[in-house]
Amino acid sequence: MKRKALVVYNPASGKHRWQGILASLLPQLQRSGISYERFETAINTKVIPLDYSFTDIIVIGGDGTINLALNAIRGQYPVVFNLIPAGTGNDFVKNLAIGHSLEEQIDTICNGQVVSVDVGRCNDRLFVNGVGLGFDGQIVADMLHRKIWLTGHARYYYHVLSILATFKPVKLDYQVAGEIFSKNTLLLLIANGSTFGGGFKLAPDGSLTDGHLDLCHIGDVSPLKRFLHLPKLEKGTHGQLEEVGFDKIKKISISKNPAIIAHIDGEYLGNPPFEIEVLPGRLKLRVKNSA
């Protein structure tokens, strides 16, 4: 079957990296016999002009652009997602073997194999990497409203350090598998992937193909202990702390709480209530043939 791709790119991602990426990608698509059309996203983009003539969608951007593309098509078209990271954190692709260099990533698009991976659904919105509440959500809110010159992991780390000592845990009620929990919560993460914030392995056992979401709950950790053990969150060894708990879940119900902020795939989401569940094997992705 002849391939036809819609190339979706976010002009606001990664300091205009998309221009150089397109200059390398489009000629290689032509040489590989893959026809294409281009689509530039905007702040208010809700729909992507995709139809059944497209076999592939190529997303150039960060986690937010991937989330936008996924929700803009809503699973209406059986297309294969191809990813070229060009955002600030690019956490989702850290779970995937698509190649580290642009040359490798373009080769994956042209010659890679197709795999099926899980996605999540939060209320009526799909996600690929995860939903974070509490400290994690507040960081995203701060990044949205406080602009600084730093980028990537350094930018996220700056905002982490700016509120690490002062952020107050919130009592959060949620239900998993019929059991009701009411816990003081510094952070609650419902993860599909493993890595967040440009490099923090908050869900070290996260898997895109296990048919589950990974729950990470961090309770009332003292300010001093937060600073002392912050490196554990980068390495994924924070499970050693007594205030940290993990679980593999299919779904979770989080009660209404205006005192806690959430993000979805690194984009501001707002306040619960949330109904979150896994959709096993819902998304088709192209990865390296050796993956």
Side-chain angles (χ1 to χ4, degrees), residues 84-95:
I84 296 181
T88 53
N90 301 313
D91 289 306
F92 179 62
V93 298
K94 292 180 173 68
N95 302 280

Side-chain angles (χ1 to χ4, degrees), residues 15 146-152 154-155 158-159:
K15 293 188 175 182
R146 294 170 56 196
K147 303 298 184 183
I148 62 172
W149 60 270
L150 295 169
T151 61
R155 180 179 175 220
Y158 168 86
H159 287 284

Side-chain angles (χ1 to χ4, degrees), residues 156-196:
Y156 189 90
Y157 213 96
Y158 168 86
H159 287 284
V160 166
L161 295 177
S162 69
I163 69 167
L164 187 60
T166 58
F167 186 83
K168 297 184 183 305
V170 174
K171 179 63 74 66
L172 186 65
D173 299 326
Y174 59 92
Q175 182 172 336
V176 176
E179 187 173 357
I180 297 173
F181 300 87
S182 183
K183 295 184 176 183
N184 283 334
T185 300
L186 182 69
L187 181 149
L188 179 68
L189 175 70
I190 300 91
N192 189 36
S194 64
T195 308
F196 298 81

